[in-house]
């Protein structure tokens, strides 16, 4: 199927959700929450559910991790629509969109080093020093350009999150002009995620609350591309044993396997506030997913981050 036909078939569905893991390690409880939440919300609405592997950052990609995740999701009974999309195969498309933004005069080349940004930042924003727009009028002197940045306005971007309620962020104050192509030449997550969701006609983005602060940047990009914005639902974070967001630093803690998958799914339903009956605690993954599709209620999803339960 061509990209065009995929888009057409997705467009016929009113809800198109997706799960977009980064293959930086095995599937852990935090990613299971995102897979489950996005799956249940779209299936409940008889929508499509897509899978995308965000393998855009080669140094962070762990060989074999994507295949292992797909295999495990399959064993747990998740069924996705269409072919899996790999970001590493879409570089030309990101380049095309970057060119389009360039023609619209919305991006600029920046020659600042990390150290210069740190020294010139007016304050520290949500994700580190805020870029003060130094190269907006062109790179300083004859220096080599490093990143390509999107110029952001001094305006508040606001959106209703389906779990966390209304969110607002002033892009200039919180992050500044942000990179679409990074200094190392790689396309930035912020650009790739928007282009991919647009090309797959995604209408519903369900993912972890660690991405709440990225969403205004992504909404701004949709606006620059004159496209309508999907709905957003951010899910509560699962914390590792040191109260930090669960990640591969936590080793095997919170890891999902085909043996513990059913119990992990029950705990994930519970973590998302769905109160699954104790009687189905040892049910098969397929039965648990079916229970979830029939009973999922997004209004019950809490916002507070909590520790990963035992499973
Ligand atoms: N790849 C991102 C992650 O694994 C998720 C991106 C998204 O859902 O927008 O954290």
């Amino acid at each position: 199927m061509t990209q065009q036909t995929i888009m057409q078939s997705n467009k016929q569905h009113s809800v198109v959700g997706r799960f977009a893991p980064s293959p930086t390690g095995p599937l852990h409880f935090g990613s299971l929450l995102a897979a489950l939440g996005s799956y249940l919300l779209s299936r409940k609405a008889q929508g499509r559910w897509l899978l995308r592997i965000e393998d855009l950052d080669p140094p962070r990609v762990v060989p074999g991790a994507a295949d292992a995740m797909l295999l495990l999701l399959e064993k747990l009974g998740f069924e996705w629509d269409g072919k899996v999309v790999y970001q590493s195969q879409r570089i030309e498309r990101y380049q095309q969109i970057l060119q389009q933004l360039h023609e619209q005069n919305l991006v600029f080349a920046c020659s600042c080093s990390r150290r210069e940004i740190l020294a010139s930042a007016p304050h520290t924003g949500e994700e580190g020093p805020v870029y003060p727009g130094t190269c907006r009028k062109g790179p300083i002197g004859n220096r080599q350009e490093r990143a390509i940045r999107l110029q952001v306005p001094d305006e508040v971007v606001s959106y209703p999150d389906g779990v966390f309620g209304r969110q607002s962020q002033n892009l200039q104050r919180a992050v500044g002009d942000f990179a679409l192509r990074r200094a190392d030449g790689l396309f930035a997550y912020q650009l790739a995620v928007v282009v991919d969701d647009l090309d797959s006609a995604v209408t519903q983005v369900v993912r972890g609350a660690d991405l709440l602060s990225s969403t205004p940047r992504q909404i701004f990009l949709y606006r620059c591309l004159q496209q309508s914005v999907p709905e957003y639902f951010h899910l509560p974070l699962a914390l590792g044993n040191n109260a930090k967001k669960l990640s591969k630093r936590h080793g095997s803690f919170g890891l999902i396997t085909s043996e513990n998958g059913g119990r992990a799914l029950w705990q994930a339903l519970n973590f998302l506030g769905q109160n699954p009956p104790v009687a189905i605690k040892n049910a098969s993954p397929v039965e648990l997913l079916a229970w979830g599709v029939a009973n999922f209620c997004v209004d019950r999803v809490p916002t507070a981050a909590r520790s990963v339960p035992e499973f």
Side-chain angles (χ1 to χ4, degrees), residues 26-29 32 68-69 71-73 75-78 252-265 285 311:
L27 194 79
H28 56 65
F29 192 75
L32 183 69
M69 267 184 195
L71 198 67
L72 186 55
L73 287 170
K75 282 200 177 144
L76 297 185
F78 287 93
S252 63
F253 183 76
L255 284 193
I256 319 293
T257 62
S258 44
E259 284 70 46
N260 68 18
R263 293 189 304 275
L265 274 173
F311 48 83

Side-chain angles (χ1 to χ4, degrees), residues 17-197:
R18 57 34 159 211
F19 174 49
S22 305
T24 53
L27 194 79
H28 56 65
F29 192 75
S31 356
L32 183 69
L33 291 176
L36 183 65
S38 59
Y39 184 82
L40 297 182
L41 208 59
S42 61
R43 291 299 193 224
K44 176 115 207 180
Q46 274 108 44
R48 285 168 72 78
W49 186 69
L50 315 179
L51 209 61
R52 177 172 73 236
I53 299 293
E54 303 214 318
D55 55 351
L56 206 51
D57 193 348
R60 291 184 60 229
V61 168
V62 172
D67 285 349
M69 267 184 195
L70 296 179
L71 198 67
L72 186 55
L73 287 170
E74 211 169 82
K75 282 200 177 144
L76 297 185
F78 287 93
E79 288 177 358
W80 53 90
D81 295 300
K83 276 198 187 163
V84 178
V85 170
Y86 290 83
Q87 288 190 325
S88 56
Q89 293 169 9
R90 290 178 43 77
I91 306 295
E92 273 176 37
R93 179 70 178 141
Y94 306 140
Q95 185 56 49
Q96 204 178 36
I97 297 291
L98 192 63
Q99 179 60 27
Q100 181 184 327
L101 292 165
H102 178 69
E103 282 157 21
Q104 290 172 258
N105 275 326
L106 297 173
V107 295
F108 62 91
C110 169
S111 65
C112 297
S113 66
R114 204 179 278 255
R115 189 186 301 191
E116 284 166 333
I117 297 174
L118 192 64
S120 61
H123 57 268
T124 302
E126 305 221 359
E127 280 163 31
V130 168
Y131 180 77
T134 318
C135 295
R136 272 189 179 188
K137 295 205 166 65
I140 303 160
N142 277 335
R143 290 173 30 175
Q144 191 199 343
E145 66 183 54
R146 292 166 174 261
I148 305 287
R149 294 181 181 275
L150 182 68
Q151 191 164 323
V152 300
D154 184 14
E155 271 169 32
V156 172
V157 172
S158 180
Y159 70 98
D161 186 87
V163 174
F164 281 73
R166 182 149 295 277
Q167 301 292 304
S168 303
Q169 187 187 69
N170 179 311
L171 284 176
Q172 214 170 80
R173 284 200 59 77
V175 279
D177 301 335
F178 58 96
L180 297 184
R181 213 186 64 204
R182 303 178 348 193
D184 57 9
L186 296 175
F187 284 97
Y189 156 71
Q190 308 292 353
L191 177 72
V193 74
V194 168
V195 175
D196 291 341
D197 283 342

Side-chain angles (χ1 to χ4, degrees), residues 37-38 41 159-164 203-209 212 215 230-236 296 298-299 301:
S38 59
L41 208 59
Y159 70 98
D161 186 87
V163 174
F164 281 73
T203 64
Q204 194 174 73
V205 172
V206 182
R207 58 190 180 190
L212 266 173
T215 305
E231 286 184 293
Y232 289 97
F233 298 84
H234 288 88
L235 303 176
F296 190 72
V298 74
D299 295 340
V301 179

